Amino acid sequence: METKGTLLSYRPDIRVVDATIRDGGLVNDFRFTDEFVKKLYETNIKAGVDYMEFGYKASKEIFDTNEFGIWKFCDEEDIRRIVGDNDTDMKIAVMADVGRTDYKKDIIDRADSVIDLIRIATYINTIPAAIEMAEYCHEKGYETTINIMAVSNDNDADIDEALELICQSNVDGVYIVDSYGAIYPEQMRKLSEKYCRFAEKAGKFVGIHAHNNQQLAFANTIEALRMGVSYLDVTVNGMGRGAGNCSSELLLGFLKNPKFSVIPLLDFLEKYMLPLKEQGVTWGYDIPYLLTGQLNQHPRTAIEAIKQKRTDYKKFYVDLYDYK
């Protein structure tokens, strides 16, 4: 498959998806102030971002509302308090996890909602359930994606079968998700080729959601972009679970479409992200995240090590083999 575009051109099919509140919410239990979310919403509009993901549609039967902020659940009235009727060019997205969402109860008709896109997060072994959810949301009138998490753990045959099933459905797009930050650019190139090959035949798009355990989230994102992936996830200052994600300011500074502007993001970084870090909210590259990424493991052990302020990196690395 040939590459698409050059460093000096831009592709009109590119869509930038801000996931700061959703992935970043995993760092602070979704406890963002309305002021923060409103300012980020306004910043994303000024920066030319195409979609803003507000959080999860999580089940209140499974998750205690006292333990999480409102963006774990994304009730319609909470989103509307920030965006009104969202009379802008930027679309609103939420994520729904397979097995963690009362989607038939909590996802209302698109005609009654300010949400445009619902992204279904799934592991490869729950693809049929993900397709069922996506079809339900499609019938309700939403744009939909299926995001296959931890794809670095999946073999080629299973990925092929999953993509075949997804491409037979009414879902609009499918995402490569490097949940563990374990994928290298050469591997991302091959994965992108595979996903795009399946998707293009079915008239669907491909997206990427990268984690930064090995400081490759940006590199993997632009490598996927070169191969035809068009929906690109970012978070401001890379804020996200563990090592975080591809930074908005990196990608918007790289893309050549003149509609994108990094300046509003820089202002937001100064006035809102730096104070957040000063309050003790922690994310970003660190040695424990590097090691779980290199070993293609879930970052939960690294997250715990960071909380404990562990610096015994050699012992941590040796201990990781107990999880393999």
Side-chain angles (χ1 to χ4, degrees):
M1 181 178 290
E2 295 182 357
T3 59
K4 296 189 177 182
T6 71
L7 290 178
L8 295 179
S9 65
Y10 77 87
R11 298 207 332 254
D13 60 319
I14 293 301
R15 301 290 183 269
V16 174
V17 182
D18 172 79
T20 306
I21 302 301
R22 201 273 307 165
D23 211 320
L26 296 168
V27 175
N28 69 346
D29 293 329
F30 304 91
R31 299 188 187 282
F32 297 98
T33 65
D34 278 9
E35 178 189 356
F36 183 98
V37 178
K38 178 72 171 179
K39 189 62 180 180
L40 178 58
Y41 169 72
E42 294 170 349
T43 297
N44 280 328
I45 293 168
K46 293 176 183 177
V49 168
D50 298 284
Y51 290 81
M52 178 173 169
E53 187 175 52
F54 272 68
Y56 285 97
K57 274 286 189 184
S59 169
K60 294 178 183 177
E61 298 297 321
I62 298 175
F63 298 96
D64 188 344
T65 57
N66 294 316
E67 295 182 3
F68 299 95
I70 58 176
W71 306 112
K72 179 77 169 178
F73 309 99
C74 284
D75 290 338
E76 186 73 23
E77 58 268 25
D78 290 324
I79 299 177
R80 285 187 181 273
R81 190 172 63 253
I82 303 298
V83 309
D85 291 331
N86 188 36
D87 187 21
T88 75
D89 292 332
M90 186 175 71
K91 294 184 177 182
I92 305 300
V94 296
M95 180 165 280
D97 277 342
V98 169
R100 297 181 176 185
T101 302
D102 294 329
Y103 63 95
K104 293 184 178 178
K105 172 185 174 183
D106 294 333
I107 295 176
I108 62 177
D109 288 343
R110 170 65 186 89
D112 300 321
S113 177
V114 75
I115 297 168
D116 300 285
L117 168 65
I118 296 180
R119 312 206 298 172
I120 310 300
T122 181
Y123 291 105
I124 206 159
N125 62 309
T126 53
I127 289 293
I131 291 173
E132 180 179 290
M133 288 176 63
E135 293 286 9
Y136 178 86
C137 295
H138 172 78
E139 290 174 7
K140 289 286 186 180
Y142 294 95
E143 300 173 33
T144 57
T145 68
I146 289 180
N147 298 22
I148 307 176
M149 298 185 290
V151 72
S152 58
N153 268 349
D154 300 327
N155 63 55
D156 279 344
D158 287 346
I159 295 172
D160 286 350
E161 184 175 357
L163 292 174
E164 186 69 40
L165 290 170
I166 291 168
C167 287
Q168 292 171 6
S169 75
N170 285 307
V171 72
D172 295 293
V174 58
Y175 259 79
I176 305 166
V177 184
D178 183 16
S179 303
Y180 302 164
I183 296 174
Y184 294 98
E186 183 176 353
Q187 296 168 310
M188 182 57 69
R189 185 182 315 130
K190 294 176 181 178
L191 271 175
S192 299
E193 289 177 347
K194 179 194 292 286
Y195 274 63
C196 288
R197 186 170 64 251
F198 276 90
E200 286 175 2
K201 290 179 182 177
K204 304 183 188 304
F205 63 80
V206 179
I208 177 173
H209 181 87
H211 277 263
N212 205 36
N213 297 61
Q214 300 186 81
Q215 297 198 20
L216 291 172
F218 176 56
N220 280 328
T221 298
I222 61 176
E223 189 66 21
L225 165 68
R226 289 179 64 242
M227 304 315 300
V229 173
S230 55
Y231 276 55
L232 313 176
D233 278 20
V234 293
T235 61
V236 180
N237 205 209
M239 185 183 186
R241 186 199 63 191
N245 309 104
C246 177
S247 295
S248 307
E249 59 275 16
L250 271 173
L251 188 67
L252 266 64
F254 168 82
L255 294 173
K256 300 305 183 285
N257 189 334
K259 83 165 191 167
F260 295 123
S261 174
V262 74
I263 291 175
L265 288 171
L266 298 177
D267 189 49
F268 183 83
L269 272 162
E270 176 187 349
K271 295 177 180 177
Y272 289 89
M273 300 305 288
L274 292 181
L276 204 61
K277 286 193 167 185
E278 290 169 359
Q279 293 165 18
V281 182
T282 304
W283 71 88
Y285 171 81
D286 208 326
I287 299 300
Y289 296 131
L290 161 68
L291 299 177
T292 57
Q294 287 181 338
L295 294 176
N296 194 18
Q297 292 186 21
H298 193 288
R300 63 175 65 90
T301 50
I303 292 171
E304 186 59 31
I306 298 296
K307 287 180 180 178
Q308 295 176 5
K309 303 186 185 304
R310 286 182 61 176
T311 55
D312 54 338
Y313 300 135
K314 182 175 70 173
K315 183 179 187 307
F316 178 77
Y317 183 66
V318 172
D319 288 346
L320 286 176
Y321 280 94
D322 292 337
Y323 294 92
K324 288 181 73 68

